[in-house]
Amino acid sequence: MNKKRYALFTSTLIAASLALSGCQLLTGYQQIDRAENADKWMGKLIPVAGEVNLACFGTYHCEVTHIDRTPIISPETHEPVDMSMLTTTPSADEVTSLLDTKSVKIVPLAPSGIKGLTNYYARVKPIKREVHVNFYPENNLGYVERFAIIHEFVDATYQIRAYQDKSNQEAGSLLDKASPKPLCVELVEDGTVVRHFCKQTDAQQQGEFIEVAVTKS
């Protein structure tokens, strides 16, 4: 059993119970409205050799707010903090190169599940980094779950993906089953889950994400 690690995490409000069954991605990202901005820039998450491509998924809306000390998406405006970082989807003919390990490029990915907002992904060089993500599990901006992770990123495509885990409450009491289901976050590297965190709901560890061992199939 790997030693459990605590992920940096704070929560501004208590989550309302979401109607999901089993361990699955939240449905908000599947309820996409047409974005009102940046739609002509949008494309697929396309890997670039020698780079880390980093996106978040799994709730109505999510955004990478910081990479190391660099602000990425503003929690107030939900748009890039520095518009000079904004670029189009990379193509074989034209790629805006990253100059060094401090360089960041932000690419519009898809319309958000919250109308009028856009989901972006980031391109950076592969080194050890601290990444902060805001997740919005409900269709409003008043409730946000903040998650942070320190990881040795390599040349790969990463997803920081949120979902609700109901599995540990299947055999519990009626009170357990009626309570909000834990929010979990997993780090996916080129399609493979490499790290896994779940929010703790007991009184001593309220509001914390704890890393648990990834089960190998």
Side-chain angles (χ1 to χ4, degrees):
M1 177 68 68
N2 293 340
K3 183 178 179 182
K4 294 182 180 179
R5 303 183 183 89
Y6 288 88
L8 304 175
F9 171 81
T10 57
S11 176
T12 57
L13 293 173
I14 297 175
S17 178
L18 300 178
L20 291 173
S21 60
C23 179
Q24 61 181 3
L25 294 183
L26 302 181
T27 58
Y29 194 75
Q30 300 169 1
Q31 300 172 355
I32 293 174
D33 295 318
R34 182 172 180 83
E36 295 177 356
N37 59 327
D39 50 316
K40 67 178 181 180
W41 286 58
M42 290 180 191
K44 297 179 180 179
L45 201 159
I46 300 177
V48 177
E51 294 185 5
V52 173
N53 297 271
L54 179 63
C56 61
F57 291 96
T59 52
Y60 276 86
H61 182 69
C62 63
E63 50 205 20
V64 177
T65 60
H66 286 80
I67 296 178
D68 299 326
R69 296 181 179 272
T70 304
I72 305 300
I73 304 298
S74 167
E76 287 75 35
T77 66
H78 310 286
E79 295 293 336
V81 174
D82 183 354
M83 296 303 291
S84 68
M85 295 181 181
L86 193 64
T87 186
T88 58
T89 301
S91 67
D93 299 326
E94 182 178 355
V95 175
T96 304
S97 300
L98 299 173
L99 300 178
D100 50 41
T101 57
K102 293 184 179 179
S103 297
V104 181
K105 289 298 180 182
I106 306 169
V107 187
L109 180 61
S112 168
I114 297 180
K115 188 174 181 179
L117 301 186
T118 303
N119 285 110
Y120 298 88
Y121 75 91
R123 295 168 45 211
V124 292
K125 289 289 188 180
I127 59 172
K128 188 175 185 178
R129 296 185 182 276
E130 180 175 334
V131 178
H132 293 248
V133 181
N134 281 3
F135 288 101
Y136 297 85
E138 298 178 357
N139 193 12
N140 69 77
L141 298 174
Y143 163 41
V144 56
E145 298 277 10
R146 297 187 174 95
F147 177 81
I149 185 172
I150 298 174
H151 186 75
E152 186 76 41
F153 291 93
V154 298
D155 180 356
T157 296
Y158 289 87
Q159 298 177 12
I160 299 178
R161 192 163 61 187
Y163 65 89
Q164 278 191 306
D165 188 358
K166 185 183 175 184
S167 59
N168 63 348
Q169 294 183 326
E170 289 293 346
S173 66
L174 291 176
L175 180 60
D176 289 337
K177 294 179 180 180
S179 62
K181 312 303 183 294
L183 185 71
C184 296
V185 176
E186 57 190 13
L187 180 66
V188 183
E189 179 185 302
D190 282 343
T192 300
V193 177
V194 293
R195 297 181 69 179
H196 183 199
F197 304 83
C198 278
K199 182 180 177 182
Q200 301 302 293
T201 56
D202 58 88
Q204 289 75 30
Q205 299 174 337
Q206 181 68 42
E208 294 179 344
F209 273 109
I210 292 182
E211 184 168 8
V212 296
V214 175
T215 302
K216 302 293 185 180
S217 58

